[in-house]
């Protein structure tokens, strides 16, 4: 059974239904009725004017935002374990035209005001060193930790003081919000976020992600960059329809709650093995190679994450028997 | 009724079925069972070893190929009306890192050996001028004309002599083949093509295109470039499944034949108005503004294409009543 | 004797003296006393606040300006024969990160308001086509024609209306001004020019060019781009000293006048053979291959420029006997 | 008195003489007699076939080499304190089109086989992570330490095993060789170096640096990249002449020996304060702020280098009285 990533989970039935329902002739690109509803839908959801850009990958969402927020000759601050640094094949360098990632340390892939300030202070303010232009955080982090609204706001304030734009990789933003129950606006634009990559694929979507832009004056540039990078699909309605389906009746939140609940079930099976507190839908466990092998023999599929450590990721569709079986197997190790 | 482009047509029912059938847990990215079948399926189809890369847009297919075939400091020869020049927002410059398009003239957006040779001859062979590295043609062309296998082979031979790689934008390759009944291999790799963007979205697909690579030694580089440009979807199975559905029982050819037949129906309604011979699924007509208005009043949707000229594009799903009605309306102008 | 280009002429003795005089310890990069005088010197010369950036090539001057004036996803309008298109190995694409050059026609490499307007009008204002962001002209043109202040102002007005930045490649700006006696300010910033590449190497310099920026808010960005492209020399004083020497007592104008006078001498030798009126220091002549051979046998070195056409370029140091000898040889053809 | 950097030292008298001697008409760009001698001169010096490219900055030399050795989608391993990472404004990202620098730790800015191997091992060999393509070291390092031929060879062997190209930033290569008396060939191509940035500006040059290429099959590409980045000066003879003057009678080695001797004089004044052993021409001293102030009051100019640490760099022209005075001042602290 798959626990290696939520990014391979099935699409939610309502998403499939929405795709089928969108299978009619309409305008091309993002001129269709579904795509045209997105700006309004997200502006309502966030409670502020926002511009929404569907894309098909988190990498595209992240890097379109970063390209607009950081010129080629400046730098983006991010955690050393951030997805944009570790798992996007250098896409930020490609999209920005050569901007640099300056890497921050921090437990659980979390960025703190201290690490940001220290990184800025280390950079001499002259023409020889690459000056920072943006800060990017991931929420929930790559280790499943969740930034509270207050934490984001503190970082946002610092970013502003330092002249940095502020981006959030929200591949698992739904899980973060489901964890804290906090308000979407508080965790994003009210906390100073300029653009957020709002993940849907890991949360019931089929292949639609969405980049939400609060600095709406950058919308035209991003629209061009999306086209120019090959991310303006001609039948955009099939992407927009997925997103709208997930927004309806807060299905995105329900899905995230289910995934988080599944992670809690696993966490509770062996609290003493937890590498990080389980806040969202990722569970990192201290497990020996032999123990990991045993779990695999029982049919569970997951990644090793450094020596003596494994990663389990749950998704919206995981509950009931197989999940309980894994919990039991972990408890029995 | 839509005649503005085949790129907004509905997906074929079998494509939708295939997507639903692929809605199960599998490996992520292109590790799934569907994606893993693509190389074999296209190698069989083309009768030679090929590597297939699903993407979601023709722009991505074209530009990944061009980036691998042309270094940043060299040039790509293409027609002045080529999609890569006119309608991709400068994507070739972005993907290649600044390579130049050298524009060729020619009726009906067709490239000839003479224009290619003349363009090469005009470039001084020194360090000051950008030397050509690749030739790109579109088949069927942006004006619906079709290259015969022999024509492609002549260009291919010239490309080889001049040290040029050879790319084919096959957004409507299916329509081209349906028009001539020629062999896929003859029109592509046997004629010297190194990589072809094989269009499916305009031909019954939902959002899957495929770049087919014959210079397989470039496959690793292209795989990285696909990831790096944000085009490696995590649930690739939904793309691969679409493509496999269209390959099955030559559905792609059937769809193209249907679209071409629809175009012929329109062309025959007013042969004296044709700007170009109708070979594939595009019909360009000399029509006055008043006449165009009249067609629009009757509910037909299409693009103006320069003064006194309109473009009608047909697709796999267009036949029977509404098509006949448009034909009659054109005849009646 | 060299008539193939002014870019291989010797340095003026005062330039060499200035280099020797600058051979003392000072601050590095552009922190030295010579470099620090440049902004003031050019602000005085132009009669407005300007920022001056020494570089070592016209390509660097042009492309640093263009990179600041045109984002990667937009286009620069220029003449088809412009140096940035024809002779800089694609440097604009490299420096801008993939911006496109849109090529204009026009006799003598001259850009007209009509060609600019028509080029803009041809570009659909949507996300699929690359929108123009800048206009670049060369003064004197690649064929030695000179824009009058009024002509530049008309283009500048149009550029403003169309939302275009305006760059002047002034590799031979000195020759242009020497030809008309017009005012430097009138031909540049008062006419709407945002940045000018002010050529010195072809006009008595050793290896110093200067980019003059009137949109001073872009200065910081250009300073970074200069460093980032490897154009911030550590001993900048040797460049600044050359430029200051050429500015002193209007040596740059005297040099240009001498070069122009030499060109006139040649032009008057065979007015019936002139391809273009001779305004600056370039002479294009209709000359058969046999005639060209005869001139070469007599020791004159120049380029063929298309069939039956040769180019002669004069420089600050050419006068007296050898020049008269060439004039006589041309007259005698 | 200047001890802040050798990059602001005067040019050697023979360099100035050579420039004046080159002030005659010749071919443009690198077609002149001086430039044409460079390949031969360096092939002789290194005892193997080499191609030499003059440029005007170390940044250009480094980044032209790196752009040819590392594609845009791969990474360059270098020390965290390497000049290419710290002091070139992101030029490697610009020249390569977005390649990544992977940073290595190590005392004195020295790269070891262990850090290289560990960095490679940390990178998962898949499409999500940026794969390394090149290794770059600086010799002498940014802290004045010198790699022995054997050390370079060990790194070179490892690079080969790992499929990495191997670049040496030799801004102070002369000082390194002067320190060890080792053979130039042994420290470079025989040890696996593919390209070396051979510094002259810090060692008596005026504004000429040279990139030496041993993988001669890359020469054409680099020639184009040099032009395209604005580094092909039209009067190249003035650069080549400087380099030839410094090669004559091993003036480059004599200059480096003089600079190293000066550094030793300073080092011996306060051996107990040395942060690193003094091998080349850089002296890092533990000195309190008050002590540093005292030195500055006496007229010595240098950089602070972290808290309680200063950097003194000596150059070819420093000896005799002022140097002795600084040594005495240090000893007296």
């Amino acid at each position: 059974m798959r626990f290696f990533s939520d990014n391979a989970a099935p699409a939610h039935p309502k998403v499939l239904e929405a795709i089928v329902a969108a299978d009619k002739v309409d305008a091309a690109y993002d001129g269709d009725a579904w795509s045209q509803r997105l700006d309004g839908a997200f502006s309502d959801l966030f409670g502020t004017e926002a511009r929404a850009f569907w894309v098909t990958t988190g990498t595209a969402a992240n890097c379109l935002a970063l390209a607009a927020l950081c010129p080629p000759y400046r730098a983006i601050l991010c955690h050393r374990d951030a997805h944009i640094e570790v798992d996007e094949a250098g896409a930020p360098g490609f999209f920005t035209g050569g901007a640099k990632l300056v890497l921050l340390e921090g437990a659980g892939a979390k960025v703190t005001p201290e690490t940001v300030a220290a990184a800025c202070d280390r950079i001499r303010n002259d023409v020889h060193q690459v000056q920072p232009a943006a800060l990017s955080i991931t929420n929930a982090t790559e280790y499943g930790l969740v930034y509270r609204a207050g934490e984001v706001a503190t970082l946002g304030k610092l970013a502003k003081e330092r002249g940095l734009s502020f981006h959030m990789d929200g591949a698992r933003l739904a899980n973060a919000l489901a964890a804290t129950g906090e308000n979407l606006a508080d965790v994003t634009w009210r906390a100073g976020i300029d653009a957020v990559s709002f993940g849907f694929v890991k949360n019931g979507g089929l292949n639609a992600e969405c980049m939400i832009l609060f600095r709406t004056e950058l919308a035209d540039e991003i629209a061009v960059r999306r086209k120019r990078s090959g991310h303006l699909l001609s039948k955009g309605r099939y992407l927009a329809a997925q997103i709208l389906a997930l927004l309806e009746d807060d299905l995105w939140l329900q899905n995230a709650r289910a995934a988080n609940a599944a992670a809690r079930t696993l966490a509770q099976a062996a609290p003493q093995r937890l590498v990080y507190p389980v806040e969202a839908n990722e569970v990192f466990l201290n497990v020996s190679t032999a123990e990991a092998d045993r779990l695999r023999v029982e049919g569970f599929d997951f990644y090793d994450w450094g020596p003596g450590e494994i990663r389990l990721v749950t998704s919206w569709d995981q509950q009931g028997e197989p999940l309980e079986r894994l919990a039991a197997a972990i408890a029995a190790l």
Side-chain angles (χ1 to χ4, degrees), chain A:
Chain A
M1 192 187 186
R2 167 192 46 90
F3 286 94
F4 61 85
S5 183
D6 40 3
N7 76 357
H12 192 280
K14 286 194 182 298
V15 164
L16 286 171
E17 278 169 32
I19 287 175
V20 173
D23 188 41
K24 44 186 67 149
V25 169
D26 200 295
Y29 304 107
D30 59 357
D32 62 274
W34 293 264
S35 299
Q36 293 292 309
R37 286 176 49 204
L38 283 191
D39 284 352
F42 280 100
S43 295
D44 289 349
L45 185 67
F46 281 92
T48 191
E49 200 197 338
R51 295 289 297 270
F53 296 87
W54 44 248
V55 286
T56 56
T57 62
T59 296
N62 286 338
C63 293
L64 287 173
L66 294 175
L69 297 177
C70 180
Y73 48 84
R74 294 184 67 182
I76 299 152
L77 304 178
C78 68
H79 194 277
R80 162 177 303 288
D81 294 327
H83 199 265
I84 55 173
E85 160 66 10
V86 172
D87 273 310
E88 301 192 352
F94 176 55
F95 277 80
T96 60
K100 193 172 153 176
L101 299 188
V102 171
L103 306 181
L104 310 176
E105 308 288 337
K110 246 185 157 173
V111 168
T112 64
E114 291 71 32
T115 57
V116 172
C120 291
D121 290 343
R122 264 195 303 274
I123 298 171
R124 276 196 332 265
N125 186 10
D126 66 22
V127 88
H128 303 270
Q129 300 212 324
V130 181
Q131 303 303 308
L135 169 65
S136 176
I137 63 171
T138 311
N139 192 22
T141 75
E142 286 74 11
Y143 291 102
L145 301 187
V146 174
Y147 288 91
R148 267 62 185 178
E151 292 174 287
V152 183
T154 305
L155 287 168
K157 191 164 165 288
L158 177 61
K160 195 160 212 172
E161 288 164 12
R162 298 289 185 149
L164 306 175
S165 296
F166 195 10
H167 166 255
M168 180 180 282
D169 177 349
R172 295 188 183 97
L173 177 59
N175 304 93
L177 285 163
T180 63
E182 288 185 326
N183 182 283
L184 194 46
D186 291 343
V187 179
T188 56
W189 64 273
R190 275 202 204 110
I193 294 289
D194 296 306
V196 59
S197 305
F198 200 145
F200 290 99
V201 168
K202 291 182 164 77
N203 193 31
L206 189 141
N207 58 15
E209 304 277 12
C210 208
M211 200 272 275
I212 312 297
L213 180 70
F214 303 115
R215 284 182 51 189
T216 52
E217 75 277 13
L218 298 175
D220 287 352
E221 172 180 342
I222 287 175
V224 173
R225 289 187 182 271
R226 179 172 65 170
K227 171 68 192 177
R228 177 177 176 80
S229 57
H231 287 287
L232 183 66
L233 278 67
S234 60
K235 301 182 183 175
R237 60 187 185 266
Y238 296 113
L239 297 183
Q242 295 177 48
I243 295 167
L244 292 169
L246 285 161
L247 292 187
E248 200 168 325
D249 298 328
D250 286 343
L251 179 55
W252 64 283
L253 257 183
Q254 299 174 40
N255 282 352
R257 283 187 197 120
N260 288 6
R264 272 197 309 276
T265 300
L266 299 182
Q268 286 157 2
Q272 76 291 357
R273 291 180 180 270
L274 293 178
V275 183
Y276 303 104
V278 170
E279 302 185 338
N281 66 326
E282 296 190 277
V283 182
F284 292 81
L285 295 178
N286 289 309
V287 153
S288 71
T289 308
E291 291 169 330
D293 288 349
R294 221 173 316 148
L295 292 176
R296 288 195 171 105
V297 165
E298 298 186 42
F300 301 106
D301 196 0
F302 50 83
Y303 285 134
D304 294 321
W305 213 265
E309 200 174 316
I310 64 169
R311 187 188 80 161
L312 303 165
V313 190
T314 55
S315 56
W316 66 273
D317 61 316
Q318 291 176 320
Q319 47 190 317
E321 193 275 324
L323 182 76
E324 299 297 339
R325 201 152 48 80
L326 173 55
I330 291 170
L333 283 177

